[in-house]
Amino acid sequence: RTKLLDALDTKLGTEAGWAKALLFSDTAVKNEYRSELQQSGVLHLIVVSGLHVWFIYLVLISLFRIFLPDKLSELFFLAVILLFAALNGWAPSITRSIIMIGTLILAHWLQRPLSGAQNISLSLFIITLIQPLQLFSLGLQLSYISVAVLLFAIPRINLFGARNTNHRTWKLWVNRILEIILVSCLISMAIAPITLYHFGT
């Protein structure tokens, strides 16, 4: 971790802080620009988040499955993501996502159906069983509220009617874009009380 942080300093100079924050959960730049980030309402974004882990999962699994069987691909992914978590000091947001993905992988191996509600509940139970105070952490609250909205409140928009949409690619894309915008608005509304309390915005 130290060598990688030093390498970023050498390669990027004064801009290294942002890369270190987004790749290795380094808090130096976050502390340096705390006032500006807090006023703009994006303080919680200048960290490695669970979304990073899901993105890495999708990319690596897609690549590994070109060359390897499913189970071996998932094992390789778990090894890589645990290394990534270690390089980030086992940040809670990363650990949460690993538990959720690991639960999905285990259910797949055991050929057991696993709903989104079961996954989010089980991961929350495991996390709070190991570290009960995590329940009061800002990161956990933002993560689980956002995931809950994604699991249970995703709207299905069909602006042009199902029959028309199935045959028109551009209409399908318009529907998807509207869904993404609406989901973003729903997540923003859901986390608004927490961001208002912690960040004043």
Side-chain angles (χ1 to χ4, degrees):
R1 175 185 165 88
T2 304
K3 286 181 180 178
L4 289 169
L5 292 174
D6 289 342
L8 285 173
D9 279 327
T10 304
K11 301 271 186 190
L12 300 178
T14 56
E15 301 300 323
W18 302 103
K20 290 193 285 187
L22 290 167
L23 292 170
F24 300 111
S25 302
D26 186 75
T27 59
V29 74
K30 190 174 174 181
N31 294 332
E32 185 179 349
Y33 294 98
R34 179 170 293 273
S35 176
E36 294 90 338
L37 293 169
Q38 196 163 333
Q39 286 172 10
S40 62
V42 296
L43 181 63
H44 57 290
L45 299 180
I46 314 301
V47 290
V48 177
S49 68
L51 188 61
H52 285 74
V53 178
W54 285 95
F55 178 74
I56 293 168
Y57 170 72
L58 291 172
V59 171
L60 290 184
I61 285 294
S62 300
L63 289 173
F64 289 158
R65 281 180 177 168
I66 296 171
F67 308 102
L68 301 167
D70 284 359
K71 278 192 178 180
L72 204 53
S73 299
E74 289 163 346
L75 276 173
F76 269 110
F77 164 75
L78 289 172
V80 171
I81 208 63
L82 287 172
L83 175 62
F84 180 72
L87 288 171
N88 278 273
W90 302 100
S93 59
I94 296 174
T95 308
R96 282 193 293 272
S97 291
I98 290 174
I99 290 172
M100 292 186 77
I101 294 172
T103 306
L104 280 173
I105 290 172
L106 186 61
H108 174 65
W109 287 352
L110 298 174
Q111 297 184 336
R112 296 289 180 89
L114 182 71
S115 70
Q118 289 173 318
N119 195 358
I120 194 173
S121 302
L122 183 59
S123 65
L124 184 61
F125 174 74
I126 292 169
I127 289 163
T128 52
L129 185 67
I130 297 168
Q131 289 185 309
L133 292 179
Q134 274 287 312
L135 194 60
F136 304 101
S137 77
L138 174 63
L140 182 139
Q141 292 166 9
L142 290 173
S143 292
Y144 276 89
I145 288 172
S146 300
V147 171
V149 171
L150 289 171
L151 285 175
F152 307 118
I154 292 182
R156 288 286 173 257
I157 296 173
N158 213 331
L159 192 64
F160 305 100
R163 189 171 295 175
N164 290 330
T165 305
N166 288 337
H167 302 289
R168 299 277 185 166
T169 305
W170 70 269
K171 290 182 178 181
L172 186 64
W173 276 103
V174 169
N175 279 341
R176 292 285 161 81
I177 290 166
L178 288 174
E179 283 179 5
I180 291 167
I181 292 169
L182 191 52
V183 166
S184 297
C185 291
L186 288 171
I187 290 174
S188 296
M189 287 191 293
I191 66 174
I194 295 174
T195 54
L196 183 62
Y197 178 78
H198 287 281
F199 304 120
T201 185

